[in-house]
Structure formats: C-alpha cells, structure tokens
Amino acid sequence: MKTLDRYLLREALPLFGGGLLVIVLLFLGGAVYEVLAPLVAKGADPYTLLRYLLFRTPEALARGAPVAYLFALLVLLSRLGEDAELKALLALGVRRERLLLPFLLLGTAIALAAFLLGEGLVPRALAQGQDLLRREVLERPRALLTPGATFQDAQGRVVYVGKVEGEAIGALRVLSREEVLLAERGSFRGGVLHVEEGTRITYEGSRPRTLARFQRGELVLKDLTFDPWQNPANRMTLAELQKEVQRLRQMGVRAGLEATTYYRRFAEPLAAPVFALFAVGLAFYLLGGSRSLGLVGVAVLTFFYYATWSVGRIMGEQNALDPFLAAFGPNLLYGALGLFLFLGGRR
C-alpha cells in the first residue's frame, strides 16, 4: 500500500466510524420512539428493551454504512480542497483516478460487508427481535391495548377489544368464518385470554346454525397486532424473497413490496462505491472554481440521498414505480452525476 493510500484511508476511516455511530444511534432512537415507547410507559423490563435494541443494531449497521461513507468522503475531500492538498497532489502529477482508487476499494469492501451482514445476520436478528417483542407483548398485553385493538388467537381467529378500562377489558368479539364469540369481560394471564359471560354463534354459510351461552372460556394467544416493521419481507433471506416474488406473480399479484425489498438488498450496499465516484468527482469539480462544499453542503447531499431512497422505496412498495428502478434509482442518479463531475472536473 502506497503512502498516499495509507494517508487517505487513515483520514477517512475515523470520519466513517463517527458517522456510522451517529446514524446507528439515530436509527435505534427512532426504534425506541416508535416501537418501545408503549412498553416503556407500562414498565417493560429494561433488559428486554436492551436486547431488542441489540437485535435491531445489525440492520442499522447494514443500512447506515453506505450513508456514513458518503458523509465521511464529502467531509474529508471538502477539507482536502480547502487546505489546497488536492491542488498539491495535482501539481505533483497525481491523477484523479489514482486518488479515486483507494476510496473505490474501501467502498467496495464496505459494500461487501454490508451485503453479507444484510443477507446473513439481519434477517435472523429481526426475526429474533420480533419474537422477543411478541413474548413481551403477550406477557404484558395491556401495554398495547386500546379500544378497537385487534389480535389473533392460536386458531387464527380475530379478537376485537371494544372496551379498555384500567386493567379490565370488555365487549370482546372473537371472529372467524365459522363462528362468532361475544364476551362481556376478559383478562390476560400467561399468554391466555380468559373470557367470561359470553355467547357462541356458529354459522353454516351465511346462516346462523347454533347459539350457546357460556360462563368462562380460554383463548390461547398467537400474536397481537403490533408489528414494529411495516415490511415483513425484511426478515426474509434473498432466496426466500425470490420464491415469494415468483409465487405472488404467478398468482397475478405485482409484489411491489417484496420485489423492491429484494433489489434493495443489492442496491443499498452498492451505494458505497458509487459514493466514492460521486464524492471524488464533486471535489475536483469544486476545485476548479476554488469553491468549498462546507458542512451544510455535506448534510444536504447526504440527506438528499436518504430522501430519494425513501421516496423510491415507498413508490416501489406501492407499485407506483418499477421495483428495480425504485431500488437502484438513487445509485444511478448519484453514479451518473458523479461520472459527469469526474469527467468534467479539473485535471
């Protein structure tokens, strides 16, 4: 490794590590606010909450690494331009391609690590976090129940809660195609819903068949309607996603959510080497006019990627945009702009 390579990497890695740490903390902070707040308010076990955040950390690392790399390169190259180090390198005969090479190699290494993490550890960690949260919810179901809440029992029947007063629930409805259970009161104990004073109505087709009263009953719970990840495809591997996309398309379903998630598994890590081209190209382009990007410019360009990534993801999942374009669109945009800036920058 040349002295120039060691110098550039030594300057870039601390910035990358600091940016990644901030992104991971912001990601986990969002998880605390959106997912754990209801449990915390009801006195959930701090150890359980810590374990849940640990399960979410691999996802934060995999998704945050390319963005942190973009931030690190923009900050570093902006400083090198302000300190005239880029001009000095050009004066010494160092070509732009030579400066791009170590950043491109580091970006490729980050992309490979993020891909392996996203395909190997992330789906398992998300599934384990979901199981942990489900157990916590089943043990403390009142933490998440409000009037109108629904969940399922072990037989797949939908349970509707009509009233919530303190620790008591009532006006319960247990619905399936074959029967309807109506109960005045209910309580939770050990993942089991105990109902009292109810009526059971069975159906044959659309007509009632039997009507019976009961004093007490038990329903083993399966899952509350509380999923911290709106996209369950995030917990699938690439092979599982591919099979699911094929199955849905054979049924005539467009499968925008699953297909977009599949392509994003490749597009998100590949953003890292694309960012290397963009950052170096921008640095030399600004060098030609003796301009500086500054921290505000760094923040704007980093946020702009996140904004285009979010919009593309939503449009792809909602079948408003082709899944491939929704996933790779931000990379193509930054890559094309980076190539333009690199070719048009100062030589």
Side-chain angles (χ1 to χ4, degrees), residues 85-216:
E85 293 186 52
L86 291 181
K87 290 183 178 180
L89 290 173
L90 290 175
L92 292 172
V94 178
R95 296 175 59 84
R96 294 173 301 162
E97 293 81 0
R98 182 64 186 82
L99 186 67
L100 172 63
L101 180 61
F103 294 136
L104 198 59
L105 292 177
L106 179 58
T108 302
I110 292 173
L112 180 60
F115 175 79
L116 294 176
L117 185 63
E119 173 60 12
L121 183 58
V122 170
R124 294 199 304 270
L126 289 179
Q128 289 173 333
Q130 174 68 4
D131 291 339
L132 175 67
L133 192 61
R134 181 183 294 114
R135 291 195 300 270
E136 179 71 13
V137 169
L138 290 176
E139 291 173 2
R140 304 173 184 268
R142 279 288 296 111
L144 299 169
L145 287 184
T146 57
T150 61
F151 52 93
Q152 285 185 313
D153 70 356
Q155 299 182 31
R157 296 176 295 188
V158 176
V159 182
Y160 172 85
V161 179
K163 295 180 181 179
V164 178
E165 298 177 354
E167 295 299 320
I169 61 175
L172 299 167
R173 306 291 184 268
V174 183
L175 310 174
S176 69
R177 297 183 61 181
E178 295 80 16
E179 65 178 358
V180 174
L181 300 179
L182 310 176
E184 295 298 324
R185 295 181 302 277
S187 60
F188 294 97
R189 292 194 295 273
V192 177
L193 173 61
H194 297 262
V195 294
E196 301 177 3
E197 301 292 335
T199 303
R200 179 174 182 263
I201 307 171
T202 62
Y203 289 86
E204 184 175 357
S206 60
R207 295 184 176 183
R209 186 175 62 179
T210 64
L211 175 64
R213 296 282 301 175
F214 63 88
Q215 293 297 318
R216 293 180 179 84

Side-chain angles (χ1 to χ4, degrees), residues 250-273:
Q250 289 174 356
M251 296 171 57
V253 179
R254 297 180 64 183
L257 185 147
E258 290 79 8
T260 301
T261 303
Y262 177 82
Y263 288 124
R264 278 174 46 217
R265 292 284 180 85
F266 298 97
E268 290 177 4
L270 285 176

Side-chain angles (χ1 to χ4, degrees), residues 226-247:
F226 181 67
D227 193 342
W229 303 286
Q230 297 298 322
N231 182 4
N234 286 333
R235 303 194 294 273
M236 299 181 183
T237 64
L238 281 173
E240 292 170 341
L241 273 173
Q242 189 176 34
K243 291 180 180 179
E244 183 66 9
V245 170
Q246 293 175 350
R247 184 185 70 83

Side-chain angles (χ1 to χ4, degrees), residues 39-40 42-51 136 139-140:
L39 296 177
V40 173
K42 297 296 181 178
D45 181 10
Y47 177 66
T48 300
L49 304 184
L50 177 61
R51 290 176 60 197
E136 179 71 13
E139 291 173 2
R140 304 173 184 268

Side-chain angles (χ1 to χ4, degrees), residues 27-38:
F27 186 93
L28 296 180
V32 170
Y33 178 79
E34 295 178 3
V35 178
L36 299 180

